[in-house]
């Protein structure tokens, strides 16, 4: 099991752009390192994929999605996960009763290596199906068609209207070597159009390049039209140029030896995207159209919430309650990011939430287990936080003899299901001659307590163990997300000064 108390060695995130990722990527990945050759293609190291198909994913109960941090793939807004790719893949996961974890591609990581090594199961990052990519991965059926278009800086007063004019004016077009745009530009060069191509680090993404175009660092780049539409809503200084490729197919990438996963994904995608007849637009489901409108089309756009020029008042890096959570958690000697992760899981930072079971407030405190007699008082953010932290602290103390990872796993399980059900699971583990202090064993036992042959003899009876196991794993994974966001925020402040990253 991956440790979650220490800062992860790689950007490993679960299923749920941090504020200003495009800004952060400009400071984080400003130029290709001197020892890096931009002309190194996909630079794949893992070519033999691990054996993990749909049956293995179902048995494990977790689908791992590899993606980039960007406004159209995956990002955080007030501590919660958003993004076109995230919501679309999550829809598939929900229909197949799978938890979704997100693996964000780190600055020194290769998405194809992450996929083939088993770190993730599906690359969902607005990827075009290209011949070079097909050497290493299998693609699903498409779920979108996009046009590649040139994007110019407004520093070019009279932007060229054709690709030939660009070549004549010798305007350098800045792209990544591993992008589909590079291959299209090479095709145009092969057709006799003498284009000037400026290669930059493969660590950059399209959105960060667009931002650099907007502030005049480069003069031109290439983007898919949907990414341009999304970015144009919150970036100033970019303008659209001519289309250089039409109807590129966008699809998810999976391992070549996962035919059953491909079948399930294709069935799902067929319900949401189908090609029309000649001269007809593709047919999309209502759900897919809603996502397209939310992230790419006209009307209120999610990007409005993280426009870097917007002055967000009363917020923090993770949530609107960062300072309060830090104060309460620090006084109890608890990591405040774990408390924030619990709140995100319980109520999505809604202080007025009330569950069907009567749990109230940010941390869903049950009045009957609280030292505060008034339910109304438990809706006060600080009071609720102090009660929730007190309860989780008691659970931590109860399991204090365990190592840090297991201790937190058991405490979270007890916070969700109660110590009684956790104790039943531990007794079941002992009956099986296994270690009751290891979370992996107890999580397996919690799943068994959903079966009558096991819960009929349990002291506290039936337990919806799958919910508790997912609760624990999702909080731990969200904790990793929040650690990464803080790391990016500190890096951004060092490079660009305070205020660059703020709350979505």
């Amino acid at each position: 099991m991956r440790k979650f108390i220490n800062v992860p060695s790689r950007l490993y995130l679960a299923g749920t752009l941090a504020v200003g990722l495009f800004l952060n990527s400009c400071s984080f990945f400003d130029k290709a390192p001197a020892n890096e050759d931009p002309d190194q293609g996909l630079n794949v190291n893992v070519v033999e994929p691990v054996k993990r198909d749909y049956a293995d994913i179902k048995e494990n109960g977790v689908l791992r999605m590899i993606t980039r941090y960007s406004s159209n793939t995956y990002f955080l807004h007030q501590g919660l996960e958003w993004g076109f790719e995230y919501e679309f893949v999550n829809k598939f996961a929900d229909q197949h009763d799978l938890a979704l974890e997100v693996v964000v591609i780190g600055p020194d990581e290769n998405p194809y290596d992450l996929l083939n090594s088993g770190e993730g199961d599906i690359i969902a990052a607005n990827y075009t199906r290209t011949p070079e990519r097909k050497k290493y991965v299998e693609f699903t059926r498409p779920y979108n068609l996009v046009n590649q278009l040139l994007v110019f800086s407004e520093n070019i007063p009279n932007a060229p209207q054709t690709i030939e004019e660009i070549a004549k004016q010798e305007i350098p077009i800045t792209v990544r070597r591993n992008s589909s745009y590079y291959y299209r530009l090479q095709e145009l060069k092969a057709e006799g159009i003498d284009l000037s191509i400026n290669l930059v680090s493969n660590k950059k993404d399209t959105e960060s390049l667009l931002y650099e175009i907007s502030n005049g660092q480069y003069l031109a780049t290439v983007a898919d039209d949907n990414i341009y539409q999304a970015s144009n809503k919150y970036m100033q200084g970019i303008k659209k140029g001519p289309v250089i490729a039409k109807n590129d197919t966008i699809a998810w990438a999976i391992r070549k030896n996962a035919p059953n996963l491909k079948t399930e994904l294709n069935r799902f995608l067929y319900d949401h995207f189908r090609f029309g007849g000649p001269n007809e637009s593709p047919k999309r489901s209502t759900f897919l159209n809603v996502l397209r409108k939310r992230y790419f089309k006209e009307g209120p756009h999610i990007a409005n919430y993280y426009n870097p020029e917007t002055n967000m008042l009363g917020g923090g890096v993770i949530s609107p309650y960062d300072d309060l959570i830090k104060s309460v958690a620090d006084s109890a000697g608890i990591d405040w990011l774990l408390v924030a992760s619990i709140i995100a899981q319980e109520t999505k930072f809604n202080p007025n939430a009330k569950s069907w079971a009567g749990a109230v407030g940010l941390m869903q405190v049950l009045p009957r287990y609280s030292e505060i007699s008034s339910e109304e008082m438990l809706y006060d953010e600080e009071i609720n936080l102090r009660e929730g932290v007190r309860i989780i602290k008691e659970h931590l103390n109860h399991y204090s003899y365990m190592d840090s990872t297991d201790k937190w796993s058991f405490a979270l399980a007890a916070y969700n299901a109660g110590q009684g059900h956790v104790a039943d699971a531990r007794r079941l583990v002992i009956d099986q001659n296994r270690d009751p202090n290891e979370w992996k064993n107890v999580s397996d036992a919690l799943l068994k307590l959903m079966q009558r042959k096991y819960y009929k003899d349990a002291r506290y009876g039936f337990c919806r163990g799958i919910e508790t196991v997912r609760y624990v794993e999702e909080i731990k994974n969200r904790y990793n997300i929040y650690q990464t966001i803080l790391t990016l925020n500190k890096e951004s402040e060092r490079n660009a000064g305070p205020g660059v990253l703020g709350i979505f």
Side-chain angles (χ1 to χ4, degrees), residues 120-131:
D121 302 307
I122 174 175
I123 301 175
N126 198 70
Y127 272 17
T128 303
R129 300 193 297 187
T130 66

Side-chain angles (χ1 to χ4, degrees), residues 164-178:
E164 289 79 10
E165 290 181 39
I166 295 167
K168 185 176 181 179
Q169 296 183 31
E170 298 182 344
I171 297 172
I173 303 171
T174 301
V175 293
R176 305 184 315 274
R177 169 64 177 81
N178 67 354

Side-chain angles (χ1 to χ4, degrees), residues 365-374 378 383 387 390-391:
V365 176
L366 283 165
R368 64 179 179 272
Y369 295 136
S370 172
E371 295 180 352
I372 305 299
S373 58
S374 169
L378 283 172
I383 292 174
E387 279 299 280
R390 179 187 63 79
I391 294 169

Side-chain angles (χ1 to χ4, degrees), residues 27-325:
S27 58
F28 228 12
F29 316 134
D30 191 39
K31 292 183 179 178
N35 61 352
E36 177 182 310
D37 177 9
D39 192 26
Q40 57 182 298
L42 300 185
N43 196 27
V44 175
N45 295 309
V46 182
V47 295
E48 188 67 31
V50 300
K51 294 181 179 179
R52 178 175 159 86
D53 203 348
Y54 180 72
D56 304 295
I57 293 169
K58 279 293 289 182
E59 182 178 1
N60 181 253
V62 176
L63 178 70
R64 301 186 182 100
M65 163 187 159
I66 302 166
T67 193
R68 292 190 180 276
Y69 237 9
S70 76
S71 66
N72 55 76
T73 53
Y74 173 82
F75 62 90
L76 292 181
H77 170 48
Q78 295 191 353
L80 303 177
E81 296 91 348
W82 294 80
F84 174 89
E85 297 286 0
Y86 172 77
E87 290 202 53
F88 200 25
V89 177
N90 199 41
K91 180 80 168 178
F92 171 83
D94 282 345
Q95 288 185 3
H96 290 256
D97 196 28
L98 296 168
L100 179 62
E101 293 182 5
V102 179
V103 180
V104 168
I105 304 164
D108 297 312
E109 292 178 330
N110 184 302
Y112 309 101
D113 289 343
L114 293 174
L115 178 69
N116 286 328
S117 67
E119 287 287 320
D121 302 307
I122 174 175
I123 301 175
N126 198 70
Y127 272 17
T128 303
R129 300 193 297 187
T130 66
E132 185 166 14
R133 288 170 176 167
K134 290 178 182 178
K135 294 177 184 176
Y136 305 104
V137 298
E138 185 71 31
F139 280 96
T140 64
R141 61 179 290 119
Y143 58 90
N144 201 8
L145 294 177
V146 297
N147 296 331
Q148 291 185 24
L149 53 86
L150 286 159
V151 181
F152 298 113
S153 166
E154 288 189 349
N155 290 344
I156 302 177
N158 297 310
Q161 299 302 304
T162 67
I163 192 71
E164 289 79 10
E165 290 181 39
I166 295 167
K168 185 176 181 179
Q169 296 183 31
E170 298 182 344
I171 297 172
I173 303 171
T174 301
V175 293
R176 305 184 315 274
R177 169 64 177 81
N178 67 354
S179 68
S180 59
Y181 314 135
Y182 172 79
Y183 298 107
R184 177 54 183 154
L185 293 176
Q186 289 297 314
E187 290 175 350
L188 292 170
K189 284 174 70 72
E191 293 171 10
I193 302 175
D194 189 18
L195 295 170
S196 174
I197 302 176
N198 175 40
L199 290 178
V200 293
S201 169
N202 286 336
K203 297 174 183 178
K204 290 181 181 288
D205 61 18
T206 302
E207 196 168 20
S208 63
L209 277 175
L210 286 173
Y211 183 75
E212 291 171 344
I213 294 291
S214 76
N215 61 24
Q217 186 170 342
Y218 300 113
L219 293 178
T221 190
V222 185
D224 292 341
D225 54 2
N226 59 344
I227 297 178
Y228 170 80
Q229 289 168 4
S231 300
N232 192 43
K233 291 184 178 296
Y234 61 92
M235 289 185 192
Q236 304 298 319
I238 58 175
K239 51 187 177 183
K240 182 167 63 172
V243 171
I244 64 171
K246 290 186 176 181
N247 293 332
D248 278 349
T249 53
I250 304 297
W252 292 331
I254 59 174
R255 286 179 288 273
K256 284 181 173 290
N257 61 350
N260 295 330
L261 176 61
K262 180 180 179 179
T263 297
E264 296 298 332
L265 290 171
N266 281 345
R267 286 174 179 166
F268 170 80
L269 292 173
Y270 183 77
D271 290 337
H272 292 280
F273 182 92
R274 302 178 193 178
F275 289 105
N279 303 316
E280 289 185 6
S281 298
K283 302 180 187 301
R284 296 180 172 90
S285 68
T286 300
F287 177 77
L288 189 55
N289 278 325
V290 167
L291 290 186
R292 280 164 50 83
K293 183 175 182 180
R294 179 178 300 158
Y295 293 102
F296 301 117
K297 295 293 186 178
E298 70 281 358
H301 189 274
I302 198 71
N304 292 336
Y305 291 106
Y306 54 85
N307 187 328
E309 298 177 357
T310 301
N311 181 23
M312 305 298 288
L313 300 177
V317 174
I318 300 300
S319 80
Y321 301 101
D322 281 7
D323 290 341
L324 180 58
I325 297 171

Side-chain angles (χ1 to χ4, degrees), residues 395-403 407:
H395 292 317
L396 286 168
N397 290 340
H398 184 78
Y399 302 109
S400 61
Y401 53 90
M402 299 180 181
D403 69 39
K407 178 173 66 176

